[in-house]
Amino acid sequence: MNSAALPYSSTKRLFCVEDFIGFGERYGIDYRFPHLADNASRNSPVLHGDVEEMTLSSGISLTHSDVRVLQPYETTSRHSSPLYMLVVLEGGVTLTLNGQEYQVLPGMAFSSQLSEQQAMSARHDANSTLKTLSFGVYPNNADRESLLETLLQEWQRLQAPTFIWPVPGFVLIGIQYAQQKGLSAVSRKLLLEGLMYQLLGHGLNQCQPQTTRGALPQCGEHARLEHIRRMLEQSPEQEYTLAQLATQAAMSSGSLRTKFRQAYGKTVFDYLRDCRLELARCYLLEGHSVQQAAWMSGYQHATNFSTAFRRRYGISPSDVRRHG
């Protein structure tokens, strides 16, 4: 897989240029090290950490990486996959596909189709920690499960779109649980199999045309705006910038700012604030402290959170927690 397609390592180890040369030949990936001369030592370290690769019974090829990047490097995929997905758990990955740049942040997933005509490039910066889960399906695999084959047919029916979407929090928790030590190999493989199907299901749902009573099916620009709105609504605790959101919406920052307000009657960050406050209100009603509710909904400072909460609801967070 593109982001970190390396063989399983049971303990943390160094991956050097020589390792990457072998990986490239095996997985159909071109690697480039911009800060190293062409005649650099093949023993120059590039990564340090753990990388695990497995093929699940469904036919999904899965790679889990938990590494620290020591040497900046770039990759370009030369393999084909009718469905490829990358989930970023920590750090960030910058991908380029068909001239379009995508920034995949923690808690987000990137979905696409890869081929010789759709070669994907990735850039990894030095001194960064990267935890990712990437998986794909290789073409002409006769051992696929019927459910996976049905999902692939639906993906093709939707014309295999390329997009970024927020992974539901409970799925991220499931991924974290599946990575803990102490699980048997069989248990872990079963958990990962189920999580991959959940990710596929949510990804397909994200790219389905949504219709509402009296509304036209979403397409084009409106679909991209709705993608941003749903991302803010489903994962308000994440950190966002206007530039990053604009990139995902394939618009300029100014266009996103104007068109989002026209479509939803609020600015992007007013909408994000309301989503965060509503999430925090739910946490308070569940019995979490004011500080916990603030942090889990994306606020760094409880004072700022309390001021915004009182302005929005006319009551303090502590009063909501007490009465709730």
Side-chain angles (χ1 to χ4, degrees), residues 61-107:
S61 296
L62 172 68
T63 302
H64 171 249
S65 303
D66 182 358
V67 297
R68 182 165 184 80
V69 182
L70 307 176
Q71 179 70 231
Y73 69 97
E74 300 169 0
T75 70
T76 301
S77 67
R78 291 185 281 105
H79 69 278
S80 296
S81 177
L83 173 57
Y84 170 81
M85 190 175 292
L86 168 70
V87 178
V88 174
L89 306 171
E90 184 177 330
V93 178
T94 302
L95 302 173
T96 303
L97 186 67
N98 295 333
Q100 176 70 46
E101 187 173 280
Y102 301 87
Q103 291 183 316
V104 193
L105 303 174

mmCIF file of all heavy atoms in Angstrom, residues 61-107:
data_model
loop_
_atom_site.group_PDB
_atom_site.id
_atom_site.type_symbol
_atom_site.label_atom_id
_atom_site.label_comp_id
_atom_site.label_asym_id
_atom_site.label_seq_id
_atom_site.Cartn_x
_atom_site.Cartn_y
_atom_site.Cartn_z
ATOM 1 N N SER A 61 -6.338 -6.486 1.636
ATOM 2 C CA SER A 61 -4.934 -6.404 2.048
ATOM 3 C C SER A 61 -4.779 -5.195 2.956
ATOM 4 O O SER A 61 -5.094 -4.073 2.559
ATOM 5 C CB SER A 61 -4.023 -6.277 0.827
ATOM 6 O OG SER A 61 -4.113 -7.433 0.021
ATOM 7 N N LEU A 62 -4.294 -5.425 4.166
ATOM 8 C CA LEU A 62 -4.283 -4.409 5.211
ATOM 9 C C LEU A 62 -2.866 -4.126 5.681
ATOM 10 O O LEU A 62 -2.063 -5.041 5.853
ATOM 11 C CB LEU A 62 -5.140 -4.901 6.393
ATOM 12 C CG LEU A 62 -5.126 -4.096 7.683
ATOM 13 C CD1 LEU A 62 -5.796 -2.739 7.466
ATOM 14 C CD2 LEU A 62 -5.836 -4.868 8.786
ATOM 15 N N THR A 63 -2.552 -2.844 5.884
ATOM 16 C CA THR A 63 -1.257 -2.442 6.427
ATOM 17 C C THR A 63 -1.481 -1.469 7.574
ATOM 18 O O THR A 63 -2.189 -0.472 7.417
ATOM 19 C CB THR A 63 -0.378 -1.758 5.368
ATOM 20 O OG1 THR A 63 -0.190 -2.636 4.268
ATOM 21 C CG2 THR A 63 0.981 -1.397 5.937
ATOM 22 N N HIS A 64 -0.903 -1.767 8.732
ATOM 23 C CA HIS A 64 -0.970 -0.869 9.889
ATOM 24 C C HIS A 64 0.443 -0.373 10.184
ATOM 25 O O HIS A 64 1.373 -1.175 10.321
ATOM 26 C CB HIS A 64 -1.532 -1.597 11.103
ATOM 27 C CG HIS A 64 -1.430 -0.806 12.372
ATOM 28 N ND1 HIS A 64 -0.583 -1.143 13.401
ATOM 29 C CD2 HIS A 64 -2.056 0.332 12.752
ATOM 30 C CE1 HIS A 64 -0.692 -0.250 14.370
ATOM 31 N NE2 HIS A 64 -1.583 0.646 14.005
ATOM 32 N N SER A 65 0.612 0.934 10.259
ATOM 33 C CA SER A 65 1.930 1.528 10.478
ATOM 34 C C SER A 65 1.915 2.413 11.713
ATOM 35 O O SER A 65 0.982 3.188 11.917
ATOM 36 C CB SER A 65 2.346 2.382 9.270
ATOM 37 O OG SER A 65 2.327 1.619 8.088
ATOM 38 N N ASP A 66 2.949 2.278 12.525
ATOM 39 C CA ASP A 66 3.156 3.145 13.689
ATOM 40 C C ASP A 66 4.635 3.489 13.686
ATOM 41 O O ASP A 66 5.462 2.770 14.241
ATOM 42 C CB ASP A 66 2.747 2.412 14.966
ATOM 43 C CG ASP A 66 2.895 3.284 16.215
ATOM 44 O OD1 ASP A 66 3.356 4.438 16.091
ATOM 45 O OD2 ASP A 66 2.546 2.810 17.316
ATOM 46 N N VAL A 67 4.980 4.599 13.018
ATOM 47 C CA VAL A 67 6.388 4.898 12.749
ATOM 48 C C VAL A 67 6.706 6.370 13.016
ATOM 49 O O VAL A 67 5.812 7.217 13.094
ATOM 50 C CB VAL A 67 6.746 4.578 11.280
ATOM 51 C CG1 VAL A 67 6.577 3.097 10.989
ATOM 52 C CG2 VAL A 67 5.895 5.417 10.319
ATOM 53 N N ARG A 68 7.983 6.618 13.133
ATOM 54 C CA ARG A 68 8.510 7.978 13.159
ATOM 55 C C ARG A 68 9.360 8.163 11.910
ATOM 56 O O ARG A 68 10.242 7.356 11.625
ATOM 57 C CB ARG A 68 9.328 8.246 14.413
ATOM 58 C CG ARG A 68 9.856 9.689 14.484
ATOM 59 C CD ARG A 68 10.344 10.057 15.859
ATOM 60 N NE ARG A 68 10.741 11.457 15.914
ATOM 61 C CZ ARG A 68 9.901 12.481 16.039
ATOM 62 N NH1 ARG A 68 8.604 12.242 16.108
ATOM 63 N NH2 ARG A 68 10.335 13.715 16.084
ATOM 64 N N VAL A 69 9.087 9.225 11.167
ATOM 65 C CA VAL A 69 9.806 9.490 9.924
ATOM 66 C C VAL A 69 11.113 10.197 10.254
ATOM 67 O O VAL A 69 11.111 11.279 10.848
ATOM 68 C CB VAL A 69 8.956 10.347 8.963
ATOM 69 C CG1 VAL A 69 9.707 10.575 7.651
ATOM 70 C CG2 VAL A 69 7.607 9.686 8.698
ATOM 71 N N LEU A 70 12.229 9.592 9.904
ATOM 72 C CA LEU A 70 13.551 10.168 10.162
ATOM 73 C C LEU A 70 14.082 10.935 8.966
ATOM 74 O O LEU A 70 14.825 11.903 9.122
ATOM 75 C CB LEU A 70 14.533 9.050 10.532
ATOM 76 C CG LEU A 70 14.098 8.120 11.680
ATOM 77 C CD1 LEU A 70 15.134 7.019 11.860
ATOM 78 C CD2 LEU A 70 13.903 8.900 12.966
ATOM 79 N N GLN A 71 13.724 10.490 7.780
ATOM 80 C CA GLN A 71 14.206 11.082 6.532
ATOM 81 C C GLN A 71 13.004 11.354 5.638
ATOM 82 O O GLN A 71 12.211 10.450 5.380
ATOM 83 C CB GLN A 71 15.171 10.116 5.838
ATOM 84 C CG GLN A 71 15.729 10.591 4.524
ATOM 85 C CD GLN A 71 16.714 11.742 4.699
ATOM 86 O OE1 GLN A 71 16.589 12.763 4.054
ATOM 87 N NE2 GLN A 71 17.665 11.561 5.621
ATOM 88 N N PRO A 72 12.801 12.610 5.173
ATOM 89 C CA PRO A 72 11.640 12.864 4.314
ATOM 90 C C PRO A 72 11.697 12.004 3.055
ATOM 91 O O PRO A 72 12.764 11.781 2.487
ATOM 92 C CB PRO A 72 11.763 14.354 3.985
ATOM 93 C CG PRO A 72 13.198 14.682 4.197
ATOM 94 C CD PRO A 72 13.665 13.803 5.301
ATOM 95 N N TYR A 73 10.545 11.510 2.656
ATOM 96 C CA TYR A 73 10.502 10.697 1.445
ATOM 97 C C TYR A 73 9.155 10.867 0.760
ATOM 98 O O TYR A 73 8.171 11.294 1.364
ATOM 99 C CB TYR A 73 10.790 9.221 1.745
ATOM 100 C CG TYR A 73 9.732 8.487 2.526
ATOM 101 C CD1 TYR A 73 8.780 7.699 1.884
ATOM 102 C CD2 TYR A 73 9.687 8.562 3.912
ATOM 103 C CE1 TYR A 73 7.813 7.004 2.593
ATOM 104 C CE2 TYR A 73 8.726 7.866 4.638
ATOM 105 C CZ TYR A 73 7.790 7.097 3.974
ATOM 106 O OH TYR A 73 6.829 6.417 4.684
ATOM 107 N N GLU A 74 9.143 10.533 -0.522
ATOM 108 C CA GLU A 74 7.934 10.637 -1.336
ATOM 109 C C GLU A 74 7.697 9.301 -2.021
ATOM 110 O O GLU A 74 8.643 8.579 -2.334
ATOM 111 C CB GLU A 74 8.090 11.746 -2.382
ATOM 112 C CG GLU A 74 8.341 13.122 -1.763
ATOM 113 C CD GLU A 74 8.764 14.162 -2.793
ATOM 114 O OE1 GLU A 74 8.867 13.794 -3.984
ATOM 115 O OE2 GLU A 74 8.997 15.313 -2.409
ATOM 116 N N THR A 75 6.435 8.972 -2.224
ATOM 117 C CA THR A 75 6.092 7.715 -2.885
ATOM 118 C C THR A 75 5.147 7.976 -4.049
ATOM 119 O O THR A 75 4.355 8.917 -4.021
ATOM 120 C CB THR A 75 5.408 6.735 -1.907
ATOM 121 O OG1 THR A 75 4.098 7.241 -1.592
ATOM 122 C CG2 THR A 75 6.199 6.570 -0.634
ATOM 123 N N THR A 76 5.242 7.130 -5.045
ATOM 124 C CA THR A 76 4.290 7.141 -6.157
ATOM 125 C C THR A 76 3.881 5.700 -6.434
ATOM 126 O O THR A 76 4.735 4.850 -6.702
ATOM 127 C CB THR A 76 4.903 7.758 -7.426
ATOM 128 O OG1 THR A 76 5.306 9.096 -7.149
ATOM 129 C CG2 THR A 76 3.882 7.765 -8.562
ATOM 130 N N SER A 77 2.589 5.435 -6.345
ATOM 131 C CA SER A 77 2.109 4.059 -6.539
ATOM 132 C C SER A 77 2.057 3.731 -8.023
ATOM 133 O O SER A 77 1.690 4.560 -8.847
ATOM 134 C CB SER A 77 0.718 3.901 -5.927
ATOM 135 O OG SER A 77 -0.230 4.671 -6.648
ATOM 136 N N ARG A 78 2.421 2.505 -8.342
ATOM 137 C CA ARG A 78 2.308 2.016 -9.714
ATOM 138 C C ARG A 78 1.403 0.788 -9.790
ATOM 139 O O ARG A 78 1.278 0.182 -10.844
ATOM 140 C CB ARG A 78 3.699 1.686 -10.258
ATOM 141 C CG ARG A 78 4.580 2.900 -10.477
ATOM 142 C CD ARG A 78 5.907 2.521 -11.129
ATOM 143 N NE ARG A 78 6.849 1.966 -10.160
ATOM 144 C CZ ARG A 78 7.155 0.687 -10.056
ATOM 145 N NH1 ARG A 78 6.572 -0.189 -10.855
ATOM 146 N NH2 ARG A 78 8.023 0.257 -9.167
ATOM 147 N N HIS A 79 0.775 0.420 -8.643
ATOM 148 C CA HIS A 79 -0.093 -0.754 -8.635
ATOM 149 C C HIS A 79 -1.547 -0.323 -8.822
ATOM 150 O O HIS A 79 -1.877 0.852 -8.717
ATOM 151 C CB HIS A 79 0.062 -1.526 -7.327
ATOM 152 C CG HIS A 79 -0.476 -0.803 -6.137
ATOM 153 N ND1 HIS A 79 0.228 0.168 -5.471
ATOM 154 C CD2 HIS A 79 -1.670 -0.909 -5.496
ATOM 155 C CE1 HIS A 79 -0.498 0.634 -4.474
ATOM 156 N NE2 HIS A 79 -1.652 0.001 -4.461
ATOM 157 N N SER A 80 -2.394 -1.288 -9.111
ATOM 158 C CA SER A 80 -3.816 -1.014 -9.312
ATOM 159 C C SER A 80 -4.622 -1.577 -8.147
ATOM 160 O O SER A 80 -4.291 -2.617 -7.588
ATOM 161 C CB SER A 80 -4.308 -1.654 -10.618
ATOM 162 O OG SER A 80 -3.656 -1.081 -11.734
ATOM 163 N N SER A 81 -5.665 -0.845 -7.782
ATOM 164 C CA SER A 81 -6.583 -1.300 -6.746
ATOM 165 C C SER A 81 -7.951 -0.708 -7.046
ATOM 166 O O SER A 81 -8.088 0.519 -7.112
ATOM 167 C CB SER A 81 -6.112 -0.864 -5.354
ATOM 168 O OG SER A 81 -7.047 -1.249 -4.372
ATOM 169 N N PRO A 82 -8.978 -1.547 -7.238
ATOM 170 C CA PRO A 82 -10.312 -1.001 -7.504
ATOM 171 C C PRO A 82 -10.868 -0.213 -6.337
ATOM 172 O O PRO A 82 -11.769 0.607 -6.506
ATOM 173 C CB PRO A 82 -11.148 -2.255 -7.778
ATOM 174 C CG PRO A 82 -10.398 -3.381 -7.174
ATOM 175 C CD PRO A 82 -8.958 -3.016 -7.270
ATOM 176 N N LEU A 83 -10.313 -0.418 -5.130
ATOM 177 C CA LEU A 83 -10.705 0.365 -3.962
ATOM 178 C C LEU A 83 -9.531 0.456 -3.012
ATOM 179 O O LEU A 83 -8.992 -0.569 -2.567
ATOM 180 C CB LEU A 83 -11.902 -0.281 -3.248
ATOM 181 C CG LEU A 83 -12.307 0.352 -1.910
ATOM 182 C CD1 LEU A 83 -12.631 1.833 -2.084
ATOM 183 C CD2 LEU A 83 -13.506 -0.365 -1.324
ATOM 184 N N TYR A 84 -9.122 1.681 -2.724
ATOM 185 C CA TYR A 84 -8.028 1.930 -1.781
ATOM 186 C C TYR A 84 -8.530 2.894 -0.716
ATOM 187 O O TYR A 84 -9.257 3.852 -1.028
ATOM 188 C CB TYR A 84 -6.814 2.529 -2.499
ATOM 189 C CG TYR A 84 -5.743 3.031 -1.551
ATOM 190 C CD1 TYR A 84 -4.827 2.145 -0.982
ATOM 191 C CD2 TYR A 84 -5.656 4.372 -1.209
ATOM 192 C CE1 TYR A 84 -3.852 2.597 -0.098
ATOM 193 C CE2 TYR A 84 -4.680 4.834 -0.336
ATOM 194 C CZ TYR A 84 -3.785 3.936 0.219
ATOM 195 O OH TYR A 84 -2.826 4.383 1.095
ATOM 196 N N MET A 85 -8.157 2.638 0.541
ATOM 197 C CA MET A 85 -8.570 3.527 1.616
ATOM 198 C C MET A 85 -7.421 3.706 2.595
ATOM 199 O O MET A 85 -6.729 2.742 2.950
ATOM 200 C CB MET A 85 -9.803 2.959 2.341
ATOM 201 C CG MET A 85 -10.460 3.929 3.311
ATOM 202 S SD MET A 85 -12.003 3.255 4.023
ATOM 203 C CE MET A 85 -13.055 3.215 2.574
ATOM 204 N N LEU A 86 -7.207 4.942 3.022
ATOM 205 C CA LEU A 86 -6.182 5.268 4.009
ATOM 206 C C LEU A 86 -6.846 5.987 5.172
ATOM 207 O O LEU A 86 -7.549 6.982 4.978
ATOM 208 C CB LEU A 86 -5.098 6.167 3.393
ATOM 209 C CG LEU A 86 -4.120 6.812 4.377
ATOM 210 C CD1 LEU A 86 -3.200 5.758 4.985
ATOM 211 C CD2 LEU A 86 -3.299 7.903 3.694
ATOM 212 N N VAL A 87 -6.645 5.482 6.379
ATOM 213 C CA VAL A 87 -7.152 6.114 7.596
ATOM 214 C C VAL A 87 -5.953 6.624 8.386
ATOM 215 O O VAL A 87 -5.017 5.866 8.672
ATOM 216 C CB VAL A 87 -7.957 5.120 8.454
ATOM 217 C CG1 VAL A 87 -8.435 5.785 9.743
ATOM 218 C CG2 VAL A 87 -9.146 4.575 7.667
ATOM 219 N N VAL A 88 -5.948 7.903 8.729
ATOM 220 C CA VAL A 88 -4.873 8.488 9.521
ATOM 221 C C VAL A 88 -5.312 8.526 10.980
ATOM 222 O O VAL A 88 -6.345 9.108 11.312
ATOM 223 C CB VAL A 88 -4.513 9.897 9.027
ATOM 224 C CG1 VAL A 88 -3.495 10.543 9.956
ATOM 225 C CG2 VAL A 88 -3.949 9.832 7.610
ATOM 226 N N LEU A 89 -4.532 7.905 11.834
ATOM 227 C CA LEU A 89 -4.824 7.862 13.266
ATOM 228 C C LEU A 89 -4.027 8.903 14.031
ATOM 229 O O LEU A 89 -4.486 9.427 15.048
ATOM 230 C CB LEU A 89 -4.522 6.461 13.820
ATOM 231 C CG LEU A 89 -5.220 5.299 13.087
ATOM 232 C CD1 LEU A 89 -4.685 3.962 13.579
ATOM 233 C CD2 LEU A 89 -6.726 5.380 13.274
ATOM 234 N N GLU A 90 -2.836 9.203 13.557
ATOM 235 C CA GLU A 90 -1.991 10.224 14.179
ATOM 236 C C GLU A 90 -1.052 10.772 13.122
ATOM 237 O O GLU A 90 -0.591 10.053 12.243
ATOM 238 C CB GLU A 90 -1.189 9.628 15.342
ATOM 239 C CG GLU A 90 -0.349 10.647 16.101
ATOM 240 C CD GLU A 90 0.384 10.034 17.285
ATOM 241 O OE1 GLU A 90 -0.122 9.058 17.864
ATOM 242 O OE2 GLU A 90 1.484 10.542 17.628
ATOM 243 N N GLY A 91 -0.756 12.071 13.206
ATOM 244 C CA GLY A 91 0.090 12.714 12.211
ATOM 245 C C GLY A 91 -0.742 13.230 11.058
ATOM 246 O O GLY A 91 -1.884 13.655 11.240
ATOM 247 N N GLY A 92 -0.185 13.212 9.889
ATOM 248 C CA GLY A 92 -0.894 13.682 8.706
ATOM 249 C C GLY A 92 -0.184 13.228 7.449
ATOM 250 O O GLY A 92 1.040 13.026 7.452
ATOM 251 N N VAL A 93 -0.949 13.049 6.387
ATOM 252 C CA VAL A 93 -0.395 12.605 5.104
ATOM 253 C C VAL A 93 -0.910 13.527 4.012
ATOM 254 O O VAL A 93 -2.105 13.840 3.969
ATOM 255 C CB VAL A 93 -0.805 11.146 4.788
ATOM 256 C CG1 VAL A 93 -0.251 10.719 3.432
ATOM 257 C CG2 VAL A 93 -0.317 10.201 5.875
ATOM 258 N N THR A 94 -0.015 13.982 3.145
ATOM 259 C CA THR A 94 -0.388 14.788 1.990
ATOM 260 C C THR A 94 -0.332 13.915 0.750
ATOM 261 O O THR A 94 0.709 13.365 0.410
ATOM 262 C CB THR A 94 0.550 15.988 1.825
ATOM 263 O OG1 THR A 94 0.515 16.784 3.012
ATOM 264 C CG2 THR A 94 0.119 16.850 0.643
ATOM 265 N N LEU A 95 -1.476 13.742 0.095
ATOM 266 C CA LEU A 95 -1.589 12.905 -1.094
ATOM 267 C C LEU A 95 -1.876 13.766 -2.316
ATOM 268 O O LEU A 95 -2.530 14.807 -2.205
ATOM 269 C CB LEU A 95 -2.731 11.889 -0.931
ATOM 270 C CG LEU A 95 -2.654 10.941 0.267
ATOM 271 C CD1 LEU A 95 -3.930 10.129 0.374
ATOM 272 C CD2 LEU A 95 -1.445 10.032 0.156
ATOM 273 N N THR A 96 -1.414 13.329 -3.456
ATOM 274 C CA THR A 96 -1.704 13.993 -4.723
ATOM 275 C C THR A 96 -2.213 12.959 -5.708
ATOM 276 O O THR A 96 -1.580 11.917 -5.910
ATOM 277 C CB THR A 96 -0.457 14.693 -5.293
ATOM 278 O OG1 THR A 96 0.044 15.622 -4.334
ATOM 279 C CG2 THR A 96 -0.802 15.443 -6.573
ATOM 280 N N LEU A 97 -3.362 13.241 -6.311
ATOM 281 C CA LEU A 97 -3.968 12.331 -7.273
ATOM 282 C C LEU A 97 -4.591 13.152 -8.385
ATOM 283 O O LEU A 97 -5.404 14.041 -8.126
ATOM 284 C CB LEU A 97 -5.033 11.457 -6.590
ATOM 285 C CG LEU A 97 -5.664 10.349 -7.423
ATOM 286 C CD1 LEU A 97 -4.629 9.283 -7.749
ATOM 287 C CD2 LEU A 97 -6.833 9.727 -6.673
ATOM 288 N N ASN A 98 -4.167 12.896 -9.622
ATOM 289 C CA ASN A 98 -4.686 13.634 -10.783
ATOM 290 C C ASN A 98 -4.534 15.152 -10.622
ATOM 291 O O ASN A 98 -5.417 15.921 -10.973
ATOM 292 C CB ASN A 98 -6.157 13.291 -11.024
ATOM 293 C CG ASN A 98 -6.352 11.838 -11.417
ATOM 294 O OD1 ASN A 98 -5.452 11.224 -11.979
ATOM 295 N ND2 ASN A 98 -7.510 11.281 -11.103
ATOM 296 N N GLY A 99 -3.407 15.562 -10.057
ATOM 297 C CA GLY A 99 -3.136 16.990 -9.907
ATOM 298 C C GLY A 99 -3.825 17.642 -8.731
ATOM 299 O O GLY A 99 -3.588 18.820 -8.445
ATOM 300 N N GLN A 100 -4.675 16.907 -8.008
ATOM 301 C CA GLN A 100 -5.395 17.445 -6.857
ATOM 302 C C GLN A 100 -4.697 17.004 -5.577
ATOM 303 O O GLN A 100 -4.376 15.825 -5.416
ATOM 304 C CB GLN A 100 -6.848 16.961 -6.845
ATOM 305 C CG GLN A 100 -7.659 17.389 -5.639
ATOM 306 C CD GLN A 100 -7.960 18.877 -5.648
ATOM 307 O OE1 GLN A 100 -8.358 19.429 -6.664
ATOM 308 N NE2 GLN A 100 -7.766 19.521 -4.521
ATOM 309 N N GLU A 101 -4.452 17.949 -4.659
ATOM 310 C CA GLU A 101 -3.785 17.629 -3.403
ATOM 311 C C GLU A 101 -4.814 17.418 -2.300
ATOM 312 O O GLU A 101 -5.785 18.163 -2.179
ATOM 313 C CB GLU A 101 -2.819 18.748 -3.011
ATOM 314 C CG GLU A 101 -1.961 18.424 -1.798
ATOM 315 C CD GLU A 101 -0.895 19.461 -1.530
ATOM 316 O OE1 GLU A 101 0.168 19.425 -2.207
ATOM 317 O OE2 GLU A 101 -1.132 20.326 -0.664
ATOM 318 N N TYR A 102 -4.583 16.385 -1.479
ATOM 319 C CA TYR A 102 -5.477 16.060 -0.374
ATOM 320 C C TYR A 102 -4.647 15.967 0.907
ATOM 321 O O TYR A 102 -3.615 15.287 0.929
ATOM 322 C CB TYR A 102 -6.183 14.725 -0.607
ATOM 323 C CG TYR A 102 -7.010 14.664 -1.861
ATOM 324 C CD1 TYR A 102 -6.436 14.295 -3.084
ATOM 325 C CD2 TYR A 102 -8.372 14.955 -1.840
ATOM 326 C CE1 TYR A 102 -7.197 14.231 -4.244
ATOM 327 C CE2 TYR A 102 -9.140 14.893 -2.994
ATOM 328 C CZ TYR A 102 -8.548 14.529 -4.190
ATOM 329 O OH TYR A 102 -9.301 14.474 -5.334
ATOM 330 N N GLN A 103 -5.091 16.638 1.954
ATOM 331 C CA GLN A 103 -4.448 16.552 3.259
ATOM 332 C C GLN A 103 -5.322 15.691 4.158
ATOM 333 O O GLN A 103 -6.450 16.062 4.485
ATOM 334 C CB GLN A 103 -4.254 17.937 3.865
ATOM 335 C CG GLN A 103 -3.218 18.777 3.134
ATOM 336 C CD GLN A 103 -2.999 20.121 3.801
ATOM 337 O OE1 GLN A 103 -3.944 20.792 4.200
ATOM 338 N NE2 GLN A 103 -1.743 20.506 3.936
ATOM 339 N N VAL A 104 -4.805 14.542 4.557
ATOM 340 C CA VAL A 104 -5.556 13.612 5.388
ATOM 341 C C VAL A 104 -5.084 13.783 6.825
ATOM 342 O O VAL A 104 -3.937 13.488 7.155
ATOM 343 C CB VAL A 104 -5.362 12.157 4.924
ATOM 344 C CG1 VAL A 104 -6.388 11.261 5.589
ATOM 345 C CG2 VAL A 104 -5.476 12.053 3.402
ATOM 346 N N LEU A 105 -5.980 14.277 7.669
ATOM 347 C CA LEU A 105 -5.667 14.589 9.054
ATOM 348 C C LEU A 105 -6.126 13.455 9.969
ATOM 349 O O LEU A 105 -6.875 12.568 9.549
ATOM 350 C CB LEU A 105 -6.351 15.904 9.439
ATOM 351 C CG LEU A 105 -6.000 17.111 8.563
ATOM 352 C CD1 LEU A 105 -6.844 18.320 8.957
ATOM 353 C CD2 LEU A 105 -4.514 17.430 8.652
ATOM 354 N N PRO A 106 -5.706 13.471 11.248
ATOM 355 C CA PRO A 106 -6.134 12.410 12.171
ATOM 356 C C PRO A 106 -7.653 12.304 12.257
ATOM 357 O O PRO A 106 -8.365 13.298 12.322
ATOM 358 C CB PRO A 106 -5.537 12.869 13.509
ATOM 359 C CG PRO A 106 -4.351 13.695 13.130
ATOM 360 C CD PRO A 106 -4.751 14.399 11.871
ATOM 361 N N GLY A 107 -8.138 11.059 12.233
ATOM 362 C CA GLY A 107 -9.580 10.826 12.299
ATOM 363 C C GLY A 107 -10.265 10.889 10.946
ATOM 364 O O GLY A 107 -11.474 10.726 10.864
#
